[in-house]
Structure formats: C-alpha cells, structure tokens
C-alpha cells in the first residue's frame, strides 16, 4: 500500500475540512478520524445499484473526494490509510471478522472487514472509519486502559486464535460485539477477493439492505433500510421509520451528504422501494 500524492492529500484534507497535522501524533489522528466520520459516510449505494466496487487508490479517491460519495471498509479505511501514510504515520492493515448483531458466543465468521493499526509513541492504536453503526469516534488503544468516556472494550478470545473482540456498550442491550481480529498484518492483496465477495456475492448483507452511517457532532446517524437512528455518545437514542423510498433518497442526500447524480436517483429509488416492501 502506498501513500496518496501531495496533490491528493491536499484535496482530501480540504474535503474533510481539516488542516494537515503538524505532526503525526495521537491528537491529530483523533481529529482526522472525527472529521472523516462527519464528512464521509459509510454507505453501500453502489452495491445496491449493481456497480463494481474498485478499490485501487485512484478509483476510491475519485469516488470519495471528487464525487462526494462514501463507501465501506475496503474503500474508506483503504483511502484513510493512504492519507495517514502521506502525513507521516506508520500504518498496518488488519483483517476482522464482523460480529455485529450476533451473540457474544456466536460461531466463527469469515474475514470480511478492513481496519488499521497505527503505530504511535503512545503505543499501537486501532483506527476505523469504515465499519458503520458502532464505530469509535477516535483511535482505540490496543495496549493499556481504555479511556473512561469511550464505551468500548477489547475482549481477548479464549479459543486459541489469539484474536481480540471489539465490543460496544449500549444501555438497552449491554455489551455487543463489533468485530474480532488478530495481531497479524494483512497484505493489501488479500483485500481484493474479500472486497469482491462483499460487493457481489448473493449472500453478502451489502446486497440485501441499505446500510449508511455518519457522525453529526456527538451523534451517530445510521440508516438500515427504513430505520433511521440517531444515537448520542451518552447512549440516548432517537429512532424513526421511513416508509417512502423518495424520502429515503432525500435523507441520503441531506443527512448523509451523499452527492447523488440525477441519473442515479430514479434507479436508487426503485431499488429502495423494493427493499422497503421486502
């Protein structure tokens, strides 16, 4: 994996509406994560429209920065890693097994998530701008105590894999699993077949429902088909149902800042109408 060019880096930071950090430290990393989550949405619109998902650096840069769209982990954490490399950070790619929505003791799942380990003077930290609903709004320490105001924990697994599980605490449900991952660095080339599965396989959840998320200050906005949630960092939840596909398109444009072109709107409305009826 190589860094963005200086021109791409400048344009990306301008898109995030944040200045370049003076040094590659933890405080700057946290600021970049927060800016990214507020400006670039996690979304799977192109998958629902049966479009191929290209994850080479130039293609993702064009989609996110030039077209004003979002993406999922193989796009967003990919691009964010290249930005961090251009800014002087040491970054490693990790592979995760998504556990969101499953019981803590559910059977093993496949490697289908990409996230980042950033090596800092304060120790290694997990950085993730491409997971979706339960996404830490700043870097998560992989060693030492978790910050008191961050409702996450890393639970070592006892099955001999050496993996740990990122878990999120919610008042109504208690601890819920996000994903589990091991210490091994994943080669970027291994993301190519995983991205193909995620975007094309009929069993992939990305092909079965609309999934969108972004941050709005201290609120996390998520859209799962017609369920629109706003969750505050302190646990407060506001939820409403959207039953009209045209309204869903407007929410994607206005609340999740997706720059949808005129020729995308009608095919997307029809696809969303089918999901709402299904």
């Amino acid at each position: 994996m190589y860094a963005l060019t200086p021109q791409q880096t400048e344009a990306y930071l301008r898109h995030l509406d944040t200045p370049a950090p003076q040094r590659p430290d933890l405080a700057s990393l946290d600021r970049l994560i927060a800016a990214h989550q507020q400006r670039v949405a996690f979304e799977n619109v192109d998958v629902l429209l049966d479009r191929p998902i290209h994850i080479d650096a130039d293609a993702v840069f064009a989609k996110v920065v030039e077209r004003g769209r979002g993406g999922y982990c193989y796009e967003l954490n990919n691009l964010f890693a290249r930005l961090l490399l251009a800014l002087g950070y040491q970054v490693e790619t990790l592979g995760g097994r998504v556990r969101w929505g499953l019981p803590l003791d559910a059977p093993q799942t496949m490697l289908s998530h990409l996230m980042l380990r950033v090596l800092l003077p304060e120790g290694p930290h997990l950085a993730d701008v491409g997971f979706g609903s339960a996404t830490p709004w700043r870097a998560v320490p992989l060693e030492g105590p978790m910050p008191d105001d961050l409702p996450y924990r890393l639970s070592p697994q006892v099955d001999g894999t050496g993996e740990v599980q990122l878990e999120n605490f919610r008042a109504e449900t208690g601890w819920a699993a996000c994903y589990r991952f091991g210490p091994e660095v994943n080669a970027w080339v291994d993301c190519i077949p995983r991205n193909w599965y995620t975007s094309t396989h009929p069993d992939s959840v990305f092909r079965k429902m609309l999934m969108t998320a972004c941050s709005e200050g201290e609120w996390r906005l998520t859209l799962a088909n017609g369920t629109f949630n706003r969750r505050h960092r302190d646990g407060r939840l506001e939820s409403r149902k959207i039953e009209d596909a045209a309204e869903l398109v407007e929410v994607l444009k206005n609340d999740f800042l997706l720059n949808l072109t005129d020729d995308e709107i009608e095919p997307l409305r029809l696809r969303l109408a089918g999901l709402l009826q299904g």
Side-chain angles (χ1 to χ4, degrees):
M1 177 177 284
Y2 55 84
L4 296 179
T5 67
Q7 294 78 13
Q8 288 175 326
T9 301
E10 181 180 357
Y12 194 179
L13 291 170
R14 188 165 56 248
H15 184 63
L16 298 183
D17 193 25
T18 191
Q22 295 185 351
R23 60 188 66 84
D25 57 16
L26 177 58
S28 296
L29 176 60
D30 287 343
R31 175 170 55 81
L32 290 166
I33 290 172
H36 197 287
Q37 291 183 3
Q38 292 188 47
R39 187 63 185 84
V40 181
F42 171 92
E43 51 110 338
N44 66 326
V45 167
D46 279 357
V47 177
L48 295 178
L49 293 177
D50 293 319
R51 292 175 172 172
I53 304 299
H54 300 292
I55 58 173
D56 61 278
D58 289 342
V60 181
F61 178 86
K63 180 180 179 180
V64 172
V65 178
E66 296 177 350
R67 290 173 49 203
R69 287 285 304 284
Y72 55 75
C73 66
Y74 294 115
E75 300 169 283
L76 301 188
N77 282 330
N78 164 12
L79 193 64
F80 192 63
R82 297 176 190 277
L83 172 67
L84 294 181
L85 288 171
L87 295 173
Y89 286 93
Q90 297 183 59
V91 183
E92 299 172 336
T93 53
L94 304 177
R97 306 179 187 276
V98 175
R99 312 287 291 171
W100 187 246
L102 300 176
L104 293 180
D105 58 353
Q108 185 73 295
T109 53
M110 64 183 292
L111 286 168
S112 62
H113 184 53
L114 170 71
M115 59 281 197
L116 311 176
R117 179 166 57 206
V118 185
L119 307 181
L120 298 165
E122 298 90 344
H125 281 66
L126 179 72
D128 194 341
V129 297
F131 182 60
S133 55
T135 303
W137 55 85
R138 64 174 188 251
V140 174
L142 292 172
E143 299 174 355
M146 193 71 65
D148 292 338
D149 62 340
L150 197 61
Y152 290 85
R153 70 182 183 188
L154 291 169
S155 296
Q157 302 301 286
V158 294
D159 54 5
T161 61
E163 295 179 341
V164 296
Q165 185 162 267
L166 180 69
E167 297 172 1
N168 172 233
F169 185 81
R170 299 197 163 181
E172 66 270 26
T173 58
W175 289 105
C178 300
Y179 49 77
R180 45 186 295 185
F181 59 97
E184 301 84 5
V185 175
N186 278 222
W188 171 244
V189 69
D190 292 331
C191 294
I192 297 173
R194 296 173 191 169
N195 173 67
W196 176 85
Y197 178 94
T198 300
S199 60
T200 67
H201 198 281
D203 290 340
S204 171
V205 68
F206 285 78
R207 296 192 58 80
K208 298 178 179 180
M209 64 182 297
L210 173 68
M211 294 183 290
T212 316
C214 71
S215 294
E216 184 181 80
E218 295 190 353
W219 292 85
R220 186 69 174 168
L221 280 57
T222 62
L223 187 61
N225 283 348
T227 302
F228 186 20
N229 287 341
R230 299 176 75 251
R231 182 182 293 274
H232 197 271
R233 291 178 185 175
D234 64 13
R236 283 177 287 156
L237 176 65
E238 300 175 359
S239 182
R240 70 182 178 97
K241 290 288 187 179
I242 301 175
E243 299 180 353
D244 180 72
E247 184 182 354
L248 272 183
V249 172
E250 291 304 308
V251 168
L252 290 172
K253 292 167 57 179
N254 298 326
D255 293 272
F256 294 92
L257 306 179
L258 299 193
N259 183 26
L260 300 171
T261 60
D262 291 341
D263 62 340
E264 293 173 322
I265 290 177
E266 183 59 16
L268 179 59
R269 187 193 66 78
L270 292 173
R271 183 73 172 94
L272 296 178
L275 291 175
L276 291 175
Q277 293 172 3

